């Protein structure tokens, strides 16, 4: 998921991502949250440090996104956006996560296994 600390919907999605990571434990699925707060076009407030702090204690990876990664995966207009990538590294889907709950995301992930 591409996310931002200033985004309430992004913060609300973190428990859903945590549940997905647990649901697919032991399978070749990895949830990764990439924070956009450091990119000029995505800076909205001084919440830069908040983004990664929000993910402490979660069972998934979180990191800062760079512009190259952002543009590589579709240069979308809203966050949170979930990017599904298959085993070969191919972009399979780009989904605004506020439009897709845990069950819907799980159904999209299952065929990729």
């Amino acid at each position: 998921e591409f996310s931002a600390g200033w985004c309430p919907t992004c913060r609300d999605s973190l428990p859903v991502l945590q549940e997905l990571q647990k649901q697919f434990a032991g399978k070749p699925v990895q949830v990764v949250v990439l924070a956009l707060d450091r990119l000029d076009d995505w800076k909205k407030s001084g919440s830069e440090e908040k983004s990664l702090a929000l993910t402490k204690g979660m069972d998934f990876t979180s990191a800062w996104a760079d512009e190259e990664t952002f543009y590589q995966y579709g240069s979308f207009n809203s966050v949170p956006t979930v990017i599904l990538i298959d085993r070969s590294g191919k972009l399979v889907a780009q989904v605004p996560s506020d439009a897709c709950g845990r069950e819907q995301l799980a159904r999209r992930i299952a065929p990729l296994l």
Side-chain angles (χ1 to χ4, degrees), residues 27-45:
K27 296 191 165 88
V29 173
Q30 179 62 52
V31 171
V32 177
V33 172
L34 295 174
L36 297 169
D37 299 87
R38 290 186 173 178
L39 302 185
D40 287 336
D41 291 343
W42 288 90
K43 288 182 179 178
K44 302 281 183 184
S45 70

Side-chain angles (χ1 to χ4, degrees), residues 18-107:
Q18 175 70 10
E19 289 174 24
L20 278 170
Q21 187 66 64
K22 286 182 178 180
Q23 179 179 346
F24 289 102
K27 296 191 165 88
V29 173
Q30 179 62 52
V31 171
V32 177
V33 172
L34 295 174
L36 297 169
D37 299 87
R38 290 186 173 178
L39 302 185
D40 287 336
D41 291 343
W42 288 90
K43 288 182 179 178
K44 302 281 183 184
S45 70
S47 67
E48 185 175 302
E49 295 308 316
K50 183 190 261 185
S51 278
L52 295 187
L54 289 168
T55 63
K56 283 191 185 227
M58 302 281 185
D59 294 327
F60 52 78
T61 301
S62 59
W64 299 113
D66 60 17
E67 290 198 31
E68 180 182 338
T69 303
F70 172 69
Y71 288 118
Q72 179 180 355
Y73 290 105
S75 163
F76 41 85
N77 294 320
S78 66
V79 291
T81 294
V82 171
I83 305 296
L84 297 178
I85 302 167
D86 69 11
R87 290 178 185 205
S88 69
K90 178 183 169 196
L91 175 66
V92 174
Q94 186 185 82
V95 183
S97 68
D98 60 341
C100 199
R102 186 186 61 76
E103 292 83 17
Q104 293 90 349
L105 285 173
R107 280 196 298 273

